[in-house]
Amino acid sequence: MKEELNVSSLEIVESDNKSTAYDVSGASAKLSYEPPASAIGKLPQNGNPIVSHKFGADPYALVHDGRVYIYSTYDVLEYDAAGEVKDNSYGSINRLSVVSSSDLMNWTDHGFINVAGPKGEAKWATQSWAPAAAHKVIDGKDKFFLYFANNASGIGVLTSDSPTGPWIDPIGKPLISRSAPAAEGVTWLFDPAVLVDDDGKGYIYFGGGVPEGKDEKPDTARVMQLGDDMISVVGDAAVIPAPFMFEDAGINKVGGTYYYTYCSNFYTGVRPEGSPPAGEIAYMTSNNPMGPWTYQGTILKNPGHFFGVGGNNHHAMFQFEDEWYIAYHAQTLSKAMGVPKGYRSTHLNKVSFGADGAIQEITADLKGVPQLHKLDPFVRVGAETLAWSAGIDALPQKMDDRGTAVAEVAIADIHNGDWTAVAGVDFGAGASTFTASVAGKSDDAVIELRLDSPDGKLIGSLAVPEADGSSSWSEATTAVEGAEGVHDLYFVFKGKADTELFTFNAWQFGK
């Protein structure tokens, strides 16, 4: 249903709880109403997948300064000559994705890292897969390290002073190359994981693949000590004798025990009793980061068991605010889009340990994990912080409020009926104003502010300033009414049909 509207002044008209008029600064305008777009993949109230406006495979988690940063392989839809989505080839992936959260429900999109290829930091590499991240204080300064796989032929490293970059390639070559002694006997030289131990020493875990006839004992997993600078390796690599090893190294230290986790292979023959089933996350333990290791069992079944669409199983465990979690990928978003062809999304669920230190079996689901903290609407929030969304994209912009060229991320590709939402917003005793930082594209556009659903209670409408031809952000403010207590907050975008409306940079409420 569409309804043509003529607007000349500030007026909020409720009809079946839908507003039909907006402040357009006295100018006559014609807007079309369309029902809000439907969420795909991550449905409201669910936490999984963590975002639905883009994919994110092979997740790795870094906890720093009260936030969890998830680094992932930047899966992007590939198309055939007829314009149909084809199977993910992985061959053109040369970026890594970064999102972060302080509450595990609202995720901030930090965009992507150009890693491999002519436009990347590591120009010697052709692909960037399966990142691992680490933090270490060196010479009194925070340093961040991002390890990645150049397809299955080498492992590189980038460094930064921030978990979100900018990143540089400090050595201009692979950290571990195919010709290195550490790669001997490794079928797939990829899937790194990194541990910085309590004494400051770093260790890198990598490898995978199944040599012909060695399904039960591939012996293709390795661990090696990193140099104090974290961008070199020292000594020899040790074999990790992981039963039915396939790929996907993971490493954690809990108490004095080291947990090495991995994905089992897809051997279809008979497996000895006690062996990991196909495509599951298994684990081994040791009292030393280099081993020896003892096989313990499996903790997470293949995604196909939970979501009806399988594939490889890739994970990372992390501790955040005294709880343990597992990040893993599954094709739930691509399945919901009707293209379950290898495009994967990150999910989170809780991890529990028994009294004996055993990892309890994990149940994967779309509900995810509880929101840890309420969101404060009275501080400036980037619009790229999302719990749920429909129809939009989050893209790097080349401007700030002074017109300075930067690479911040903002909500873009906004059309009539699209929306974004944040969860668990605590308005307290109430809010009186709403301010947004926007850049207009269409002459007529508004942001509806609604509580708890895309067509929920309307608390205000903000007219987006008309485009002035510049690339600067504009600040616009409107009055709000009825925003009290804790609610999910929806930003519903309205304007001319079939027109890109504006770009949304940040927002804040006033008391």
Side-chain angles (χ1 to χ4, degrees), residues 339-391:
V339 288
K341 298 184 177 183
Y343 303 96
R344 302 145 302 172
S345 297
T346 296
H347 301 63
L348 291 185
N349 282 100
K350 280 193 173 184
V351 176
S352 298
F353 293 83
D356 60 354
I359 303 175
Q360 306 301 294
E361 186 168 358
I362 297 159
T363 299
D365 58 30
L366 292 175
K367 182 178 180 180
V369 302
Q371 183 175 346
L372 298 183
H373 308 287
K374 299 297 187 288
L375 189 148
D376 183 356
F378 301 110
V379 299
R380 190 174 177 88
V381 179
E384 71 280 8
T385 295
L386 309 167
W388 310 287
S389 64

Side-chain angles (χ1 to χ4, degrees), residues 394-445:
L395 300 172
Q397 304 299 299
K398 295 296 183 183
M399 69 200 82
D400 63 12
D401 54 4
R402 301 183 308 276
T404 304
V406 293
E408 62 186 345
V409 174
I411 297 301
D413 196 23
I414 295 173
H415 293 80
N416 186 33
D418 292 348
W419 54 266
T420 64
V422 285
V425 179
D426 189 355
F427 291 102
S432 63
T433 62
F434 170 78
T435 300
S437 174
V438 293
K441 292 180 180 290
S442 173
D443 290 342
D444 304 315

